[in-house]
Amino acid sequence: MAAINRRADPSRLSINTATVREQWDLGQIADACALHDIRGISPWRDQVAKFGLRDAARAIEFNGLTVTGYCRGGMFPAESAKDRLAVREDNRRAVDEALEIHAQCLVLVVGGLPGGSKDIASAREQVRDGIADLLDYSRPRGMPLAIEPLHPMYAADRACVNTMRHANDLCDELGDDGLGIALDLYHTWWDPELEAQITRAGRKRLLAFHICDWLVPTADMLLDRGMMGDGVIEISRWRQAVEATGYSGFHEVEIFSASNWWKRDPHEVLHTCKHRHAECC
Amino acid sequence: MAAINRRADPSRLSINTATVREQWDLGQIADACALHDIRGISPWRDQVAKFGLRDAARAIEFNGLTVTGYCRGGMFPAESAKDRLAVREDNRRAVDEALEIHAQCLVLVVGGLPGGSKDIASAREQVRDGIADLLDYSRPRGMPLAIEPLHPMYAADRACVNTMRHANDLCDELGDDGLGIALDLYHTWWDPELEAQITRAGRKRLLAFHICDWLVPTADMLLDRGMMGDGVIEISRWRQAVEATGYSGFHEVEIFSASNWWKRDPHEVLHTCKHRHAECC
């Protein structure tokens, strides 16, 4: 077992670009990360597309940033075979893009119920089959896929994989080669099985570690995430549990915050991320 | 195993009084249930207090209604020993009131993190200890306690028991005598373990069964529950799974709906509950 740092290593901080997406384009975010001595970045596809894939890759490389994940592939369940084919092609493009920007993994938000369906068991089968199919493409190219369990409140419309247990079960079934988990505390902090399932996942499966905080009250189900320290998640405890497995990767800050952080000076946001990462994580 | 009805038995419909709380007082709700030939009712403490406990008991008895649960006891985690004592006294009063109105069980919403705390493991210990203590009072008086797992989105501020597995674990630990579970599909429909944990709970533990629907999108985390059939929950499937255990109790409709059902003519609400119960459950 690795030695556990009581404080988070500042060099492990990464910024998910959604955190300042309302203020800056991808080039500005990459430059600002370097300016604030933040070493990791995790870009979203729409921001990359807007900035241009090659330019994005160059901006990231120029600033010496590690790409701790690419957001996102997935959204597997579909109403028709034709839709499933379109999803398949889109996910393969996401793998190609992730390779182009040298991402450590492609994060999978697996999708919820396809239009009109109430059959979550069947949606979960489509997810399993979709990941299996994408692995045929991603494995030979060397791009790991990271299943991200989302909070159960997103089970219907965003992701029907909602616990670490389920993500671990999928890894068991599909094989660990090129497959793992993106653990986001916002989605999983409530789970009484979290510690056991982190241990079960282990270093091999933990491909990414996302942090932010759960606010009380939470005003909006999607766009009211908190800065580390402003909510109720024991971030430091869970960071230590993750690193106790041997995980030595980044701690990626992903904050959707329509009424607060997205309205602030983005330099203040990054400065606060750095400060809170050092103080609370 | 009991024979399973493909359609819900209309005589098993019960109305949780929160469903029309904005329109009617408890006496009006009891009268209206009888008028609409609804046989069960589940009142909230604040509505009972406002109407008067004895008057409430009389109104319910006069209309020949079964009290399928009393909402609610719980809220165990507290910041101080003094607060815990106050909670204990309040919960004992809730047991007394439940006895007075001949409720089938006292529903427990167990509480979340006490003010300022981030320690959900400790909150869960307080819940276990609080239930154990309340059982000393409720068991000799013959009032069953029903632990209600709430959706994980309420883990911080309402209930840190969020899965049927956790509720079953508590029953294992504290003993089944006078203790069981109130299963609410709104809170548990997303859980991949739901079927297995319903079976594990079995007829003995299933003390109440609550229904409504999960809307997509859900506009508000607390007050945007859907009428059966308007959302994505496979209510009929789960009702059959519950009855496959031998459960022959009521199906209690509990809808918090600030922007829709609470604004409608309450007779229309009850009529719709009856209709949808017959059609979709």
Side-chain angles (χ1 to χ4, degrees):
Chain A
M1 188 173 290
I4 301 305
N5 297 313
R6 286 192 48 235
R7 291 289 178 104
D9 178 350
S11 75
R12 301 289 91 190
L13 177 61
S14 173
I15 297 294
N16 182 294
T17 60
T19 305
V20 285
R21 77 177 191 197
E22 298 297 314
Q23 299 100 321
W24 277 333
D25 69 25
L26 191 67
Q28 292 171 306
I29 299 171
D31 291 346
C33 282
L35 187 71
H36 287 268
D37 197 22
I38 292 168
R39 314 283 182 83
I41 191 168
S42 179
W44 277 66
R45 286 187 80 191
D46 58 333
Q47 291 167 290
V48 166
K50 208 168 168 186
F51 196 67
L53 180 58
R54 280 202 192 167
D55 290 339
R58 265 197 291 263
I60 289 166
E61 196 183 347
F62 175 81
N63 287 295
L65 304 174
T66 299
V67 178
T68 58
Y70 189 47
C71 294
R72 54 184 166 66
M75 295 293 167
F76 297 104
E79 281 181 84
S80 67
K82 188 185 160 199
D83 289 347
R84 264 188 293 282
L85 264 184
V87 167
R88 178 196 224 197
E89 290 311 308
D90 191 52
N91 276 322
R92 291 180 169 202
R93 279 194 300 274
V95 169
D96 294 338
E97 294 164 23
L99 288 162
E100 175 93 14
I101 62 165
H102 303 293
Q104 293 185 327
C105 61
L106 174 65
V107 174
L108 299 182
V109 171
V110 300
L113 296 164
S117 169
K118 303 187 186 201
D119 187 351
I120 196 164
S122 158
R124 285 169 171 153
E125 286 171 12
Q126 286 199 44
V127 166
R128 181 201 57 206
D129 295 345
I131 296 173
D133 180 66
L134 188 56
L135 281 168
D136 289 341
Y137 187 82
S138 60
R139 274 179 176 146
R141 287 163 181 81
M143 177 50 60
L145 305 179
I147 301 166
E148 182 173 3
L150 254 56
H151 195 284
M153 69 186 173
Y154 304 126
D157 48 2
R158 280 185 174 75
C160 58
V161 173
N162 307 106
T163 59
M164 284 291 288
R165 175 191 281 267
H166 191 177
N168 269 316
D169 287 349
L170 284 166
C171 291
D172 279 353
E173 185 173 355
L174 300 174
D176 288 320
D177 175 26
L179 183 63
I181 299 173
L183 167 60
D184 186 323
L185 291 182
Y186 187 76
H187 298 301
T188 56
W189 72 276
W190 60 271
D191 187 350
E193 297 192 313
L194 183 54
E195 186 147 16
Q197 294 295 329
I198 286 172
T199 303
R200 177 182 167 202
R203 179 184 192 170
K204 185 177 54 177
R205 285 183 183 168
L206 290 170
L207 302 182
F209 177 52
H210 298 186
I211 56 177
C212 68
D213 218 332
W214 181 277
L215 298 177
V216 179
T218 292
D220 185 276
M221 283 172 70
L222 191 59
L223 304 179
D224 194 30
R225 298 191 189 187
M227 180 64 67
M228 297 81 74
D230 289 344
V232 297
I233 304 177
E234 293 180 298
I235 301 173
S236 179
R237 177 196 162 184
W238 295 116
R239 193 263 309 154
Q240 291 178 55
V242 164
E243 294 184 343
T245 68
Y247 177 86
S248 60
F250 281 76
H251 318 140
E252 181 181 321
V253 177
E254 183 178 38
I255 301 175
F256 304 160
S257 173
S259 61
N260 186 357
W261 299 101
W262 283 352
K263 292 196 169 167
R264 300 210 193 191
D265 176 338
H267 285 293
E268 182 198 349
V269 177
L270 294 196
H271 178 78
T272 309
C273 286
K274 276 206 76 164
H275 177 70
R276 296 293 183 84
H277 180 248
E279 291 295 311
C280 316
C281 301
Chain B
M1 187 173 292
I4 302 304
N5 298 314
R6 286 194 47 237
R7 291 290 179 102
D9 177 350
S11 75
R12 299 289 93 189
L13 176 62
S14 172
I15 297 294
N16 183 294
T17 60
T19 305
V20 285
R21 77 177 191 196
E22 297 297 313
Q23 300 100 322
W24 277 333
D25 68 24
L26 192 68
Q28 291 170 307
I29 299 171
D31 290 347
C33 281
L35 188 70
H36 287 267
D37 197 23
I38 292 169
R39 313 284 181 84
I41 191 168
S42 177
W44 277 65
R45 284 187 82 190
D46 58 331
Q47 291 167 292
V48 166
K50 207 168 166 185
F51 196 69
L53 180 59
R54 282 202 189 166
D55 289 338
R58 264 197 291 263
I60 290 165
E61 197 183 348
F62 175 80
N63 286 296
L65 304 174
T66 298
V67 179
T68 59
Y70 189 47
C71 293
R72 54 186 165 67
M75 296 294 166
F76 296 104
E79 280 179 84
S80 66
K82 188 184 160 199
D83 289 347
R84 263 188 294 282
L85 264 183
V87 168
R88 176 195 225 196
E89 291 312 308
D90 192 52
N91 276 322
R92 290 180 169 202
R93 279 194 300 274
V95 169
D96 294 339
E97 294 164 24
L99 288 162
E100 175 94 17
I101 62 165
H102 304 292
Q104 293 185 327
C105 61
L106 173 65
V107 174
L108 299 182
V109 171
V110 300
L113 296 164
S117 169
K118 303 187 184 201
D119 188 351
I120 196 164
S122 159
R124 285 168 172 155
E125 285 171 13
Q126 286 200 44
V127 166
R128 180 202 56 206
D129 295 346
I131 296 173
D133 180 67
L134 188 56
L135 281 168
D136 289 342
Y137 188 83
S138 60
R139 273 178 176 148
R141 288 163 180 81
M143 177 50 59
L145 305 180
I147 301 167
E148 183 175 2
L150 253 55
H151 196 283
M153 68 186 174
Y154 304 126
D157 48 1
R158 281 187 173 73
C160 58
V161 173
N162 308 105
T163 58
M164 284 290 288
R165 175 191 282 268
H166 190 176
N168 270 315
D169 287 348
L170 284 166
C171 291
D172 279 351
E173 186 174 353
L174 299 174
D176 287 322
D177 175 27
L179 182 63
I181 299 173
L183 166 60
D184 186 322
L185 291 182
Y186 187 76
H187 299 300
T188 56
W189 72 276
W190 60 272
D191 188 350
E193 297 191 313
L194 183 54
E195 186 148 15
Q197 295 295 330
I198 286 172
T199 304
R200 177 183 166 200
R203 178 183 192 170
K204 186 176 53 177
R205 285 184 183 167
L206 291 170
L207 302 183
F209 176 52
H210 298 185
I211 56 177
C212 69
D213 219 332
W214 181 277
L215 299 177
V216 180
T218 292
D220 184 278
M221 283 171 71
L222 191 59
L223 303 179
D224 194 29
R225 298 191 188 187
M227 180 64 67
M228 297 81 76
D230 288 344
V232 297
I233 304 177
E234 293 180 297
I235 301 172
S236 178
R237 177 195 161 184
W238 295 117
R239 193 264 307 154
Q240 291 178 55
V242 164
E243 294 183 344
T245 69
Y247 178 86
S248 59
F250 280 76
H251 318 139
E252 181 181 322
V253 177
E254 182 178 38
I255 301 176
F256 302 160
S257 172
S259 62
N260 187 356
W261 298 101
W262 283 353
K263 292 193 169 170
R264 301 209 192 193
D265 176 338
H267 285 293
E268 181 198 349
V269 178
L270 293 195
H271 178 79
T272 308
C273 286
K274 276 206 76 162
H275 177 70
R276 295 294 182 83
H277 180 248
E279 290 296 311
C280 315
C281 302

